[in-house]
Structures are given as C-alpha cells and as structure tokens.
C-alpha cells in the first residue's frame, strides 16, 4: 500500500509518500519514499504568530510544487509526451473543488496534467484540527488528486498523527535527499493498552487515555492557552522571535549551564517571585497557562531594564514551571489508569528539558511503563505522520470538510470557551 500524504493544518506544508510493508509479528515497517516540508515560520514571525490568510496563501503557492518534488524524489514522475486533457466531467469536478482557489487550479493543471498518473494507492490528508483556511488548501488538493488519479482520499486527525509520530522508530538506513539526510525506514511500534498520550502543540494541550485500539478518552485539556502558544507569547514578551518555543529553550539552556545559575534563585527572589506552577494541585487533569504568561509579564515589569541574563533566568523558570506541571499531571494520570505506555506528541516535544525530565521521571516513578517521544525530525508538523495515520485508519471519505476543532475524543470537562458557547 502506497500513500501520498498532505498536511496543511498550520504554517507547515508537508507532503510525504509512504509505503507500508507488513513485517514479522505486529510491527509494521514504513518505507519513506519522500517527506518534504516547507515552513512559513519566518513569514509569520513579523506577526508574532500564524496569520491564517497568509498561511492559506502560502500553502496554495507551495503545495503543488512541493508535491512534484516529492513525486520526483520517490521516482514516481514520468513526463507525458502530450499533456493530458481533462474530460468535461473532470473539469467540472475540479473547477468546483477549486472554485475559491483559481490560481491553485492553474498550478495544479500546469504540473499534474503533464505527468503520468503515479503508482499511488490512496491519499491521506489532515482534515482537522487546525486553521480552517489552511486545512482547505490541503483538502482541496487531495480531493482534486483523488479525482484525477481515481484513488480514495482518507481524512486524518492531526492529533492522531502526532501520537503516531512518537511510535515511529527509525532504522539506521539514512537516505540522502535534496538537502538533508533522512531515515529511509521506520518501524511502527504496536501500542500496548491502556496507554496515555500527552499532546502538546501550538494549539493543543491534551491528556488523552487510550483504553484500546483506536479509542480515545479525553482526561483533561487546557482551559485557555495551549502550551506551545504560551511558549510563543512569553517569547514575544522577552523580545524573541516566533516560533518562541525553540528560542525560550535556547535561553533556558544557557541559564542552566551558566555559572550564575547558583545565584539564580537569589536573583529571581530579589526581582520576582518564582513563577507559579499552574493547576499543579487542581485535582483534575486540566491545564491552564494563561495565568503563567501574565505572571511572566508582571515579573518582566519589575525589572527596570531586562539584561540577557534576566531573560535567560525568566525563560528557565517558565520552562521549568511548564515541565513540572506537564510531567506531574501525566504521571498522576498514568498511575491512576495503570497505563503500560506514555506517548508524547506535538511540536513542544522538541523541547529538550521536557524530553529529559519525562525520561527521568517515568523511569524513576513508573519503571514498568514505556515512554515514547517522537524523533526530533518528526516532533513538529509533517506529512509522514499523516501518511502513517492514513495507513492505519484507511477509511476513505467522499465529502471531507475542514474541521478546525476536530476532536480525538469527547472531553470529560469542557473548556471555558465551550462553556461560554453553551450559555
Ligand atoms: O505541533 P506543532 O508543530 O504545530 C501545531 O500543530 O501547533 O507545534 C508548534 C508549537 C509552537 O508553539 C512552537 O513554539 C512549539 O511547538 N515548539 C516548542 C519547541 N519547538 C517547537 N516549544 C518548546 N520548546 C521547543 N524546543
Ligand atoms: Zn501539530
């Protein structure tokens, strides 16, 4: 089974081509024929966050050229002597799909009618959650390819993709692509249930119980900002670039390794009270990071001028606070539900501190539990995770629609936003 995957839920255009080979036992071997990514992060940096209309525009500009690159890398492109001409019916269907994106339709025709139909069995596409204008670009492209190539299109939940990313263990067979080295083959580790997933990204902070295959139960989620969003906003307060997560992490690391770290507590106490550890003792599995962000703001205000050293210390205290809360809640839930595995997913799992403390604490406090953290290459948004999620789900759908708030599971406790909506 060979799948072409499309990811456009936020500010990364991802295209992957994957092939599943059933290996011995229950381990699936995933061959990566291509895994391409274009990030818009630099473009959004000037707004301090992702601007949906610009994200959509950029996806529409990049998606077909990136697709062609991926097909070439997978050696699936064969130029036709004479470009294909769309039948009346095909033209009508595609015009309808692209009615809001005429430019994209032109690029699509220009590139895809000139080549032979590639040997692809299905297309997987992120249908949510994410920014709807951005999601639509991927969905429409997937639908159009499905029509042109006469293959099924499988909608994928982005968060399920993040869970799967952690279960992909790469083999040591690097392949050299146009600009870097990437693993050629991944083994998809089978999950042992019950398992627990902590999903931490720019838009989500969710603690999800996986009682059995394909079942998800939301134990808790953020009541306000997502953890990645808090990283991004605090970075902005400290005058750092978007995306803020890696920037905060770099500063915090400096504070950690610097000589003055011994004085850190003194310094922090003198200038600001240590940051709170929000909801640590709330007795549930919900999170809240908005207050923490405000505490950072108050702390910053107490400094007359913020030196590099001060910034580093604030970044460290913020990162420590987030880490402490995430680890404590996850371990409490893990013990309560007696889980066999803990799976971390989402862009924030790239954070070194979070990776390290999780590894230490799970070993110390839950020695029988396995911890899965995605390979750094797969921690952020990517097409590969969508492709593998598509392989596992393989439930094609005709009328896929973008769903910005698509859920993995119903929540046991509604968020504030949901409560407000109900009123
Ligand atoms: O999963 P992702 O790539 O996109 C969404 O689906 O949201 O996550 C992006 C988020 C951003 O908020 C970014 O700041 C955060 O992941 N992030 C990090 C790190 N690298 C990326 N947060 C903390 N530390 C990092 N090293
Ligand atoms: Zn994501």
């Amino acid at each position: 089974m060979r799948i072409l995957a499309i990811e456009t839920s936020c500010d990364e255009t991802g295209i992957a081509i994957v092939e599943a080979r059933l290996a011995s036992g229950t381990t699936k071997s995933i061959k990566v024929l291509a895994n391409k990514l274009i990030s818009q992060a630099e473009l959004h940096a000037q707004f301090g966050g992702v601007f949906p209309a610009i994200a959509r525009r950029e996806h529409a500009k990049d998606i077909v050229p990136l697709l062609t690159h991926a097909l070439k890398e997978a050696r699936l492109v064969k130029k036709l002597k004479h470009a294909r001409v769309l039948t009346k019916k095909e033209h009508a269907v595609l015009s309808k799909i692209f009615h809001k994106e005429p430019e994209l339709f032109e690029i699509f025709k220009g590139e895809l009618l000139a080549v032979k139909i590639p040997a692809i069995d299905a297309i997987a596409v992120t249908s949510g959650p994410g920014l709807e204008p951005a999601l639509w670009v991927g969905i429409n492209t997937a639908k159009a390819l499905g029509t042109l190539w006469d293959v099924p299109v499988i909608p994928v939940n982005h968060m399920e993709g993040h869970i799967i990313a952690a279960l992909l263990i790469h083999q040591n067979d690097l392949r050299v692509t146009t600009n870097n080295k990437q693993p050629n083959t991944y083994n998809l580790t089978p999950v042992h249930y019950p398992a627990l997933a902590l999903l931490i990204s720019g838009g989500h902070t969710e603690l999800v119980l996986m009682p059995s295959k394909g079942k998800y139960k939301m134990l808790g989620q953020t009541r306000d900002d997502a953890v990645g969003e808090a990283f991004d906003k605090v970075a902005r307060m400290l005058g750092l670039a978007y995306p803020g997560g890696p920037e905060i992490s770099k500063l915090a690391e400096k504070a950690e390794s610097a000589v003055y770290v011994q004085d850190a507590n003194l310094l922090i106490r003198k200038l600001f009270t240590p940051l709170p550890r929000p909801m640590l003792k709330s007795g549930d599995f919900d999170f809240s990071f908005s207050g923490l962000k405000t505490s950072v703001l108050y702390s910053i205000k107490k400094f007359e001028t913020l030196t590099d050293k001060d910034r580093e210390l604030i970044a460290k205290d913020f990162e420590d606070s987030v880490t402490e809360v995430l680890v404590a809640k996850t371990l409490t839930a893990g013990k309560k539900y007696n889980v066999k595995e803990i799976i971390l997913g989402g862009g924030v799992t790239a954070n070194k501190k979070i990776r390290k403390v999780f590894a230490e604490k799970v070993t110390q406090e839950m020695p029988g539990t396995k911890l899965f953290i995605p390979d750094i290459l797969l921690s952020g948004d990517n097409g590969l995770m969508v492709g593998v999620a598509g392989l596992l789900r393989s439930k094609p759908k005709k009328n896929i629609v973008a769903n910005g708030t698509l859920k993995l599971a119903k929540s046991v406790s509604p968020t504030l936003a949901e409560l407000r909506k109900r009123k």
Side-chain angles (χ1 to χ4, degrees):
M1 174 96 164
R2 195 180 281 163
I3 287 204
L4 174 104
I6 300 178
E7 157 62 42
T8 63
S9 68
C10 192
D11 59 348
E12 246 107 37
T13 318
I15 304 271
I17 302 173
V18 298
E19 209 173 77
R21 286 182 298 190
L22 276 173
S24 56
T26 42
T27 309
K28 271 200 178 73
S29 170
I30 308 289
K31 190 161 183 218
V32 186
L33 304 183
N35 186 22
K36 316 288 294 173
L37 199 75
I38 294 183
S39 174
Q40 307 166 5
E42 263 180 41
L43 205 70
H44 294 288
Q46 56 186 306
F47 308 106
V50 183
F51 206 85
I54 292 181
R56 174 188 161 192
R57 186 194 72 194
E58 292 300 301
H59 286 307
K61 175 167 75 64
D62 293 333
I63 194 162
V64 174
L66 194 66
L67 174 72
T68 306
H69 259 117
L71 289 169
K72 276 188 185 153
E73 199 166 298
R75 298 174 193 277
L76 291 171
V77 172
K78 274 220 178 88
K79 269 226 169 256
L80 289 169
K81 260 196 191 150
H82 304 287
R84 224 175 114 183
V85 180
L86 290 175
T87 63
K88 259 194 180 164
K89 195 177 162 207
E90 281 174 333
H91 195 273
V93 175
L94 294 182
S95 303
K96 202 170 161 207
I97 292 172
F98 286 127
H99 77 284
K100 280 190 183 161
E101 277 128 351
E103 297 91 354
L104 175 55
F105 190 20
E106 286 312 309
I107 309 176
F108 184 90
K109 282 189 289 189
E111 300 229 5
L112 291 154
L113 295 182
V115 295
K116 244 181 121 179
I117 295 178
I120 297 280
D121 302 304
I123 296 162
V125 63
T126 303
S127 63
L131 304 169
E132 287 188 5
L135 287 163
W136 273 118
V137 178
I139 293 173
N140 287 337
T141 308
K143 281 182 176 173
L145 288 170
T147 305
L148 195 67
W149 296 346
D150 195 21
V151 290
V153 183
I154 305 160
V156 165
N157 183 311
H158 181 81
M159 302 318 284
E160 191 170 49
H162 275 306
I163 293 178
I164 285 165
L167 303 170
L168 292 170
I169 313 297
H170 77 71
Q171 307 303 295
N172 285 328
D173 55 344
L174 294 180
R175 80 203 146 93
V176 183
T177 65
T178 30
N179 44 14
N180 58 3
K181 281 186 182 172
Q182 286 194 11
N184 209 6
T185 318
Y186 286 89
N187 276 346
L188 178 68
T189 319
V191 179
H192 296 96
Y193 301 97
L196 178 70
L198 173 72
L199 299 171
I200 41 177
S201 70
H204 293 83
T205 306
E206 295 175 345
L207 206 42
V208 182
L209 182 69
M210 299 161 64
S212 57
K213 194 173 172 200
K215 294 264 185 300
Y216 298 101
K217 189 177 168 205
M218 183 87 74
L219 298 180
Q221 58 189 316
T222 183
R223 296 191 178 170
D224 37 60
D225 291 353
V227 60
E229 191 182 351
F231 265 97
D232 295 336
K233 287 179 178 168
V234 166
R236 207 168 162 188
M237 290 176 197
L238 293 172
L240 306 169
Y242 171 85
E247 300 296 319
I248 297 259
S249 180
K250 268 186 242 160
L251 282 197
E253 236 178 281
K254 274 192 192 165
E256 199 120 1
S257 59
V259 186
Y260 55 75
V261 81
Q262 284 100 5
D263 308 328
N265 280 335
L266 268 178
L267 230 145
I268 288 171
R269 237 174 274 137
K270 196 170 76 186
L271 293 164
F272 70 87
T273 23
L275 293 169
R277 271 47 182 162
M279 311 272 290
L280 190 62
K281 305 240 154 64
S282 64
D284 57 20
F285 297 118
D286 278 349
F287 302 89
S288 163
F289 296 104
S290 167
L292 178 61
K293 183 188 70 190
T294 313
S295 303
V296 172
L297 189 66
Y298 286 140
S299 301
I300 292 173
K301 280 189 177 158
K302 283 192 199 158
F303 288 81
E304 259 173 37
T305 49
L306 209 59
T307 65
D308 285 349
K309 209 162 150 182
D310 301 331
R311 275 199 190 87
E312 288 162 18
L313 290 171
I314 293 175
K316 178 176 153 36
D317 199 24
F318 170 75
E319 191 180 71
D320 285 348
S321 166
V322 169
T323 308
E324 206 177 312
V325 176
L326 292 177
V327 171
K329 295 236 168 183
T330 307
L331 263 64
T332 308
K335 287 172 194 167
K336 178 171 174 183
Y337 292 98
N338 215 356
V339 298
K340 294 199 176 91
E341 291 173 357
I342 290 176
I343 302 165
L344 308 188
V348 183
T349 62
N351 185 281
K352 281 191 203 157
K353 182 67 173 265
I354 293 175
R355 295 172 85 92
K356 183 170 164 258
V357 178
F358 260 103
E360 284 167 4
K361 292 282 181 186
V362 171
T363 313
Q364 279 166 17
E365 294 186 28
M366 299 182 73
T369 303
K370 257 185 131 177
L371 175 69
F372 290 93
I373 309 180
D375 187 301
I376 289 277
L377 276 176
L378 299 181
S379 62
D381 295 347
N382 62 82
L384 177 56
M385 68 184 198
V386 177
V388 182
L391 274 168
L392 295 183
R393 287 269 164 230
S394 42
K395 266 205 198 122
K397 224 176 142 182
K398 279 259 180 294
N399 290 316
I400 303 172
V401 289
N403 182 351
T405 56
L406 183 67
K407 298 267 184 299
L408 261 182
K410 268 220 161 95
S411 159
V412 277
S413 53
T415 60
L416 273 186
E418 282 165 344
L419 281 174
R420 271 190 214 118
K421 239 190 217 171
R422 277 186 213 170
K423 270 185 194 163

